[in-house]
Amino acid sequence: MAYFKLWNNWTIAGKIGTVIAIGVSASILIIAMGGIGYLKKEYLTTFGKQQFTTVQAFAMYIDADLASKLKAITVVANAASTEDLQDSSSARKFLSTRVGLVSLFDDGLMILSAEGILLAEAPFISPERLGLEYASHPFFQQAKKSGQSVISDPFYSLKSDRLPIIEFIAPVHDAQGTISAYLCGGLTLTGDNVLGNIARHKVGSSGYVHIYSRDRALIIHHDPSRTMKIDVPPGANRLFDLALEGFDRSGETINARGLRIIASFQHLKTVPWILAVNLPLQEALAPFNAIRTLVIATISVCGLAVILVSAWSLFRFIAPLNHFITHMQKCGEESSVFEHEGGPEVTRLSSIFNQMLTRMKESQAELRSSEELQRTLLNASPDIICFKDAEGRWLLANEAILALFQLEGVDYQGKKASELATYSPLFQDALLAFEMVDEQAWEHVALLTTEETIKLPDKKRTILEVIKAPLFHQDGSRKALVVIGHNISARKKNEEHLRTLSMALEQSPVSIIITDSDGAIEFVNPAFTRLTGYTSAEVVGKNPRILKTGKTSPETYIQLWQTISGGKKWEGELYNKKKNGEEFVEHAVISPIFNQEDTITHYMAIKDDITARKQSEEIIWQQANFDSLTRLCNRRLFHNRLENAIHHTLREKSTFVLMFLDLDHFKEVNDTLGHDYGDLLLIEAAQRLQDCVRDTDTVSRFGGDEFALLLTNIKIDVGIDKVTKKIIDALNQPFYLKEEVARVSASIGVTLCPDDGNDVITLLKNADRAMYLAKSAGRNCWRSFTDVKKSDQENSIDNGREG
């Protein structure tokens, strides 16, 4: 009771000052706590998305590397024949020519027999390892069960170093399609390779990357002592367990060591492993904590300033009110007494009110009519409209603002926002914040436009563009405040969507070009600049043809424009060049962009640099199809071309010539001068053979000193004799090998298709028999399969006579 007496005896200035101080303090505390909590949540969400993007990039990098290595070893295995791997000697010789493949696998290459016996390895370690039995080893069983190229589960190497490795295993098939051997490439998990470098990569100052398998085994880890171990039991790390069930994103958890972390997970595509990045939560929140401290300090200082300024303004502006009350007292000394309770100001004002009461009743009817008209106009507007007096009391409000704050049916007139908040607890913060901005409008003096966010009970938000117009008396004192608010939530959502899309384009790792409908560039992202060297200012307004090299066929560009101008997506490869003239290959996806009228307004190109991949494929193709010494096509490619020639000949009813050539006395050169000189002679012989035929003909080295030639569109009656004589004369010339001189000759066997056969095996066999007939005839000559048939007939006649 004593408290209420004391409160009633306070002046209005004291009461308002106390309420403002408490309201401002409470508002600042609530806003600060709620805002910081919300910003912390948004910060962690954004940070997790960024970290997950990093994990996805690492996963793509690992998958691409593992896939390229598996493809490389598969291509080499497919190129191998049964003769190449029939014993340890041939297997070692086969590996010795695969220097490029050896460089891909830091644990070396192995060739295992179909039974799992080690035939050869590169680099060679010791003779004692040859014949080592791998049949019972899990990685061999895994490859044998699969029957195709696989990447093994991690295991400790059987070599003396006992390093943790994985094996890339590709089967080698014989002519019947049966697996005759296995080509294996080992990659250490801790070596100087993609996996080892990923394990050593640090995220921030204390974060790290690791990979584990579906059986919870750690495959790579920044702590080498944890590699190949299962030390995260079920339940020790919630997100670790969820990732095993398919969880692919970021989240907050406690790891097996009891540390709170932000963890991101991504399943790899080439192997059943899970890539994860861990960063301590304390490190992730360090920038946010620093900003939070600054924000709290700033809000506190601003809040104190607002309270002080409000208190000073209140006491300063209340003085004229007291003078006004004194003046009104002189005019109402004969009025009746009005019973009241309240402070000194209310006591003085009540006597004045009693004098004015009669006159006010007379004007109420007119005011009521005017208010009804105003209310009808205000309620017809979808925007919120409110009139407040100089003290912030609500005088008039339309239905839109009452509905927004759920104040329908509340007697709002004469009440401040802080009083109305008690009728709408869900909008208490919004009403108080609304009232705080009112003061800014008064201080601004002129019309003030702000954006204010209203949190709705369903956790959605309404964003208003609010116009506050303060009205003043002629002496400069406050009169009234007009508040008009327009809902711009939809517009802000569209702006946020456009901002997000813009950031995605800017931060994309692939280059993006947007042109107008005529092909003039309007936008390029930073990835385009990094790839081509052209800045945005240098290319905007120009056509993408500035990147052309002329190596992309005109038909490709015609098809491209026909596709996208027809409203469809085009996808393909383009050969372009950078600003410095360096050429590169891009995989491009170009799509049309339509407006609301379904008219094409722009084109967007998303392009990825695939130069390195194309070069790698070219190297592998060269190794698989050409002899490493002479650069002639190898046996495999020659067989393909021979099969194509047979099909063409049978279809067109034409003829071609197949020649087998063996160098006479080549063995003596190897035995006397050594294999290095023998290799030089083979290289020179290959060049002489190519000089003797046309560009449309094929010369192949079958192995050793054996060569095969495929001659198409040749005149049979004179062409064969002319070419064979040219070849024999060319090879009879001395071979100058550094400081040595060597001489060889050639024995040539000739067969025709389809006269002598129409399949690969028959033609090769016939040419081989004709070559041996030439050797039997004294070498340095040529014989045809027709000569072989004659010789067979003569031998048959002679045998018949002897019988």
Side-chain angles (χ1 to χ4, degrees):
M1 186 65 69
Y3 171 80
F4 287 106
K5 253 186 187 179
L6 179 63
W7 174 259
N8 288 333
N9 289 328
W10 279 17
T11 63
I12 293 177
K15 293 177 180 178
I16 295 176
T18 301
V19 171
I20 290 176
I22 295 174
V24 169
S25 300
S27 299
I28 290 174
L29 180 62
I30 293 171
I31 293 172
M33 292 178 64
I36 289 174
Y38 174 79
L39 291 176
K40 180 179 179 181
K41 181 180 177 181
E42 290 298 308
Y43 175 85
L44 290 176
T45 300
T46 303
F47 188 91
K49 290 180 180 178
Q50 293 175 346
Q51 183 168 288
F52 180 63
T53 300
T54 301
V55 171
Q56 286 181 312
F58 282 158
M60 292 175 62
Y61 181 44
I62 294 172
D63 278 328
D65 184 78
L66 296 181
S68 66
K69 286 182 169 61
L70 185 61
K71 182 177 180 181
I73 202 168
T74 301
V75 170
V76 174
N78 291 340
S81 65
T82 306
E83 292 79 10
D84 293 331
L85 310 176
Q86 61 186 349
D87 54 29
S88 293
S89 176
S90 60
R92 287 197 301 273
K93 183 177 179 182
F94 178 82
L95 288 182
S96 66
T97 63
R98 272 38 183 200
V99 178
L101 188 62
V102 172
S103 66
L104 296 178
F105 301 94
D106 56 7
D107 197 58
L109 297 177
M110 296 191 302
I111 294 180
L112 304 179
S113 68
E115 296 74 28
I117 305 302
L118 179 62
L119 299 179
E121 61 183 0
F124 183 75
I125 298 177
S126 67
E128 288 79 12
R129 283 181 51 79
L130 297 181
L132 192 63
E133 192 267 335
Y134 281 86
S136 60
H137 200 279
F139 84 84
F140 181 82
Q141 292 296 326
Q142 183 181 353
K144 186 174 181 180
K145 181 179 180 181
S146 172
Q148 58 186 4
S149 300
V150 297
I151 301 175
S152 76
D153 295 328
F155 63 96
Y156 285 103
S157 173
L158 297 183
K159 298 177 183 178
S160 59
D161 52 19
R162 297 292 293 168
L163 293 173
I165 66 169
I166 57 174
E167 286 286 347
F168 293 74
I169 312 160
V172 179
H173 297 85
D174 57 19
Q176 290 74 34
T178 304
I179 296 176
S180 59
Y182 294 91
L183 179 60
C184 308
L187 194 69
T188 60
L189 299 181
T190 58
D192 186 15
N193 51 50
V194 170
L195 294 177
N197 292 337
I198 287 291
R200 290 184 288 272
H201 183 83
K202 293 191 69 176
V203 179
S205 60
S206 56
Y208 57 89
V209 183
H210 63 281
I211 296 178
Y212 61 97
S213 64
R214 297 188 185 276
D215 60 359
R216 312 182 76 87
L218 293 174
I219 296 171
I220 66 168
H221 199 278
H222 79 292
D223 182 2
S225 65
R226 296 183 65 185
T227 302
M228 301 290 286
K229 291 183 180 179
I230 302 176
D231 62 355
V232 182
N237 185 327
R238 178 178 61 86
L239 292 187
F240 187 99
D241 295 343
L242 285 177
L244 294 173
E245 299 173 5
F247 178 86
D248 268 350
R249 54 184 182 271
S250 298
E252 183 179 342
T253 186
I254 300 176
N255 66 11
R257 271 52 178 176
L259 180 66
R260 293 192 68 84
I261 60 171
I262 293 181
S264 301
F265 302 86
Q266 176 66 51
H267 286 69
L268 299 181
K269 296 180 180 178
T270 52
V271 287
W273 302 345
I274 302 169
L275 174 66
V277 169
N278 289 353
L279 183 69
L281 184 62
Q282 183 177 2
E283 179 180 344
L285 286 175
F288 175 83
N289 291 334
I291 295 174
R292 180 181 63 183
T293 301
L294 179 61
V295 169
I296 291 175
T298 303
I299 291 176
S300 299
V301 172
C302 291
L304 180 60
V306 169
I307 292 173
L308 293 176
V309 170
S310 299
W312 176 82
S313 299
L314 182 62
F315 286 100
R316 183 176 184 274
F317 293 139
I318 206 71
L321 177 61
N322 290 327
H323 294 303
F324 176 74
I325 292 172
T326 302
H327 176 75
M328 291 296 294
Q329 261 186 322
K330 295 178 181 179
C331 299
E333 290 177 351
E334 297 178 359
S335 62
S336 60
V337 178
F338 176 76
E339 298 295 332
H340 64 84
E341 292 182 3
E345 293 92 348
V346 175
T347 301
R348 296 167 65 186
L349 285 173
S350 61
S351 59
I352 300 172
F353 175 79
N354 289 330
Q355 293 180 27
M356 299 179 63
L357 184 59
T358 302
R359 283 173 287 180
M360 289 178 60
K361 289 180 179 180
E362 295 174 353
S363 62
Q364 278 182 350
E366 296 179 5
L367 289 174
R368 193 176 295 112
S369 175
S370 177
E371 287 177 358
E372 189 64 30
L373 178 60
Q374 291 177 355
R375 191 175 303 279
T376 301
L377 293 174
L378 292 177
N379 290 335
S381 173
D383 294 336
I384 66 168
I385 301 174
C386 180
F387 295 93
K388 301 179 182 181
D389 66 12
E391 302 302 325
R393 289 183 288 266
W394 288 33
L395 302 178
L396 188 61
N398 69 345
E399 292 178 355
I401 192 170
L402 296 177
L404 176 64
F405 293 109
Q406 294 185 359
L407 293 173
E408 298 96 330
V410 175
D411 183 13
Y412 64 87
Q413 290 183 325
K415 295 181 176 66
K416 294 185 178 181
S418 56
E419 297 173 277
L420 294 174
T422 60
Y423 297 95
S424 182
L426 295 175
F427 293 89
Q428 183 176 9
D429 293 343
L431 285 166
L432 294 175
F434 222 59
E435 189 175 61
M436 290 179 61
V437 180
D438 291 350
E439 190 61 28
Q440 295 179 13
W442 287 115
E443 294 176 358
H444 191 259
V445 179
L447 184 144
L448 178 66
T449 301
T450 62
E451 286 186 8
E452 299 186 34
T453 301
I454 309 299
K455 293 184 179 179
L456 304 178
D458 58 358
K459 296 185 178 180
K460 294 182 180 179
R461 299 182 303 165
T462 294
I463 303 176
L464 301 173
E465 185 180 67
V466 181
I467 299 174
K468 297 194 176 185
L471 304 176
F472 297 90
H473 292 286
Q474 291 183 352
D475 62 357
S477 60
R478 297 179 181 182
K479 181 178 181 181
L481 184 67
V482 181
V483 179
I484 302 174
H486 178 66
N487 191 335
I488 59 170
S489 301
R491 190 188 81 191
K492 297 297 288 186
K493 185 176 181 180
N494 289 336
E495 291 174 353
E496 182 64 26
H497 177 72
L498 292 174
R499 185 160 47 250
T500 302
L501 180 60
S502 176
M503 291 297 294
L505 293 176
E506 289 288 335
Q507 299 175 11
S508 172
V510 296
S511 63
I512 298 175
I513 303 175
I514 298 178
T515 72
D516 62 19
S517 58
D518 295 326
I521 296 174
E522 291 187 356
F523 169 84
V524 294
N525 67 341
F528 172 90
T529 299
R530 291 194 297 271
L531 174 62
T532 65
Y534 287 104
T535 64
S536 176
E538 292 174 321
V539 298
V540 169
K542 297 182 179 179
N543 193 284
R545 67 171 64 95
I546 63 174
L547 303 175
K548 290 176 60 175
T549 61
K551 294 184 178 180
T552 303
S553 66
E555 292 77 13
T556 299
Y557 288 114
I558 293 173
Q559 182 192 27
L560 185 159
W561 277 105
Q562 288 177 343
T563 302
I564 63 176
S565 61
K568 298 180 180 179
K569 178 185 74 174
W570 180 88
E571 184 173 358
E573 294 180 1
L574 301 173
Y575 292 83
N576 289 331
K577 63 181 178 180
K578 302 180 181 179
K579 182 179 179 181
N580 60 10
E582 180 183 351
E583 296 183 354
F584 64 101
V585 186
E586 286 184 315
H587 176 268
V589 178
I590 305 176
S591 305
I593 300 175
F594 300 86
N595 60 13
Q596 293 181 346
E597 289 75 36
D598 207 29
T599 301
I600 296 175
T601 60
H602 295 80
Y603 297 103
M604 181 171 71
I606 302 175
K607 304 193 288 184
D608 191 14
D609 185 4
I610 60 172
T611 307
R613 190 187 79 192
K614 299 290 286 187
Q615 292 173 346
S616 176
E617 291 174 353
E618 176 63 20
I619 292 172
I620 293 173
W621 186 85
Q622 289 286 340
Q623 292 175 346
N625 293 281
F626 290 89
D627 176 57
S628 60
L629 178 65
T630 63
R631 304 312 299 163
L632 297 177
C633 68
N634 60 14
R635 185 191 301 264
R636 176 179 175 277
L637 182 57
F638 187 83
H639 278 207
N640 290 339
R641 293 185 179 179
L642 182 57
E643 286 181 350
N644 293 335
I646 292 172
H647 294 322
H648 180 269
T649 296
L650 296 178
R651 184 174 63 252
E652 301 296 330
K653 297 182 180 180
S654 58
T655 303
F656 71 80
V657 176
L658 172 65
M659 293 185 181
F660 251 27
L661 183 150
D662 185 82
L663 297 180
D664 304 325
H665 313 296
F666 177 75
K667 186 176 183 299
E668 289 83 344
V669 175
N670 264 350
D671 293 342
T672 57
L673 301 180
H675 290 286
D676 291 341
Y677 286 87
D679 288 347
L680 293 175
L681 189 147
L682 289 174
I683 294 171
E684 177 62 27
Q687 185 59 49
R688 294 185 186 183
L689 288 174
Q690 287 183 303
D691 293 339
C692 291
V693 298
R694 300 160 300 179
D695 292 339
T696 56
D697 299 326
T698 301
V699 182
S700 171
R701 181 188 176 209
F702 263 37
D705 59 342
E706 290 185 344
F707 296 86
L709 293 86
L710 177 61
L711 312 178
T712 57
N713 298 323
I714 186 171
K715 294 181 179 179
I716 304 302
D717 50 350
V718 296
I720 296 176
D721 186 71
K722 180 179 179 181
V723 172
T724 52
K725 184 177 184 305
K726 187 176 181 182
I727 292 173
I728 291 172
D729 291 341
L731 295 177
N732 277 331
Q733 299 300 316
F735 287 83
Y736 298 95
L737 313 174
K738 296 182 179 178
E739 70 280 1
E740 301 290 343
V741 179
R743 290 181 178 273
V744 296
S745 58
S747 297
I748 305 174
V750 179
T751 188
L752 303 178
C753 178
D755 296 347
D756 299 335
N758 58 9
D759 63 88
V760 172
I761 296 176
T762 301
L763 291 172
L764 292 175
K765 180 179 178 181
N766 293 344
D768 186 68
R769 291 184 63 188
M771 181 192 72
Y772 278 101
L773 183 62
K775 282 188 175 290
S776 301
R779 303 181 180 179
N780 199 28
C781 63
W782 70 277
R783 293 291 184 271
S784 69
F785 184 67
T786 302
D787 299 324
V788 174
K789 290 188 287 186
K790 290 180 181 179
S791 175
D792 290 345
Q793 290 175 356
E794 291 173 359
N795 290 337
S796 176
I797 294 171
D798 292 339
N799 291 336
R801 290 173 179 172
E802 291 175 1

